[in-house]
Amino acid sequence: MHSVRGESPSIEVDHLSFAYSGEDLVVRDTSLSIEGPGLVTMLGPNGSGKTTFFKLLLGILRPLSGRVLLNGEDVTGNPLRASVHASYVPQLSAVRRDLPMTAAEAVESALPRGLRSRSRALEALEMVGAADLADRRLSAMSGGQLQRVMIARALARGTPIVLMDEPFSGIDPRGREGIAELVEELARTRLIVLSTHDPVLTLSRSKLVVIFNRGVRAVGRPQDVYKLELLREAYGPGVLLIEKCLHVVG
Amino acid sequence: MYVDPRWVIVVLGSAAAFGSLSPLVYARRFSFFAASLPHSALLSVTLGYVLSLSAGGHPAAWAVALSLPPSALLIYFLHSGVSVDSATSAFVSFSVAGSVAAMYYVLTNYPARVSLWSYILGDPLLAGWDDALLVVAVAVPTCALAAYTYMEEMSIGLDAESAAASGVRVRLHDYLLALLLTVVAVSLLKAVGFTIEHVVMLLPGAIAARLARSARAFFALSLASSLASGAAGLALSLMANLAPAAAIGFVLLAIYVASLLAGGGR
């Protein structure tokens, strides 16, 4: 089950535009082409539309114009079709920890009806080093533990593409390092696109960096893209170069 | 103490239906909807009665048919971006005003032929065999559907976006749950009564959420607390000459308080 489907996962975005209402475009005529496997880090300020972009990739939102192709298949506005190719790890703040659910059940519930079983859920938890949490209630977990469970939930279906929305938020520094190592390991056989405010953890592990603010502003290798002038395009003047290190302060 | 089998069927059947839906209501944060449903159910039942007299057919069938479009419309508005508060306010305003107007019409035009009190207070002790059969016909498929869709509903409750990304049809489940709740609320209004219906819809799930350590236990405990409160409430009402719906409500409340005191909800 956990063998990753497809040899070379790919994401293609073709002139995508989206607005929640009116003419305020959250994603403006953006295009992107990524092939995997590997880790892609997406950087952008709060409110830049990264989560919206992920939802467009997953078919959960239908764009005003443009297309999304996952592994060559048009999945625009079609979450069922997209679910064959991609999985999603939401921000921890969106996850309801008060639900009486064990880790194994959280993973199991994301499996298709015919494949749903505890043993499959345990396999996925094993992959993320969380097998010992299988019978623990979600409300009794730390942020790092819950994030591993949510990653297992995404991995359980064996899709070759995984989108992770700020997987380091709400996790202590030690937990973040552990998640970053896990993501690096997983990216060896999958195309993982990860949004974050903490690029230090992922830059050296990424094959590509995408600078995003209401559309793709720049994309390329970390050493080519993680630069003052390109980051300022997304973050504005709040990016400073201090002691040869880039800092986002605004 | 005489116990009519129809009372038992009506009370336990209703308890099973509400007890199986209650964890879904909790998991999906549908309590806003469940709490407003009795208003809509009362309107539908009243209009259903009038229509059955003028156009023929079974009042319950009319009531169910009339209740579904407003519920579907409410979910449609929520999906269209209308806030829960705004949509629920409009839904409740419409159903409350409508039910008062409809009840006034019925009470002034058919005073000797219908007792709306049984719908307001709930009276399983007046249930005939047709009422008992209706409860069974509603409760069995409701329990089956609730159990069948349970893991998907829990997955959506955990996080709707990742559930959608895993292939769950979230929008379809929204409509399905809303319509199922509507059918149950309308069909069983007479058994539990308008005044307490939202309590039996909400409390079993709230009790189970405090005590359960897993999703499966959550469902089982909700069902068990609902059935236990139904059985104990019926017995209490017969022994103490209380209104059955009130006795069931008191027992549910007692279980809930006990769950709070027990320090459940890890």
Side-chain angles (χ1 to χ4, degrees), chain A residues 194-216:
Chain A
L194 171 156
S195 68
T196 181
H197 291 293
D198 193 357
V200 174
L201 282 166
T202 58
L203 272 186
S204 63
R205 298 173 161 107
S206 300
K207 69 170 191 173
L208 286 175
V209 170
V210 176
I211 310 285
F212 195 93
N213 193 349
R214 302 208 164 207
V216 175

Side-chain angles (χ1 to χ4, degrees), chain A residues 147-170:
Chain A
Q147 190 60 274
R148 283 178 186 269
V149 173
M150 294 309 287
I151 292 173
R153 180 172 150 93
L155 297 178
R157 290 170 42 256
T159 58
I161 300 168
V162 181
L163 309 180
M164 298 185 177
D165 198 356
E166 299 191 16
F168 305 119
S169 293

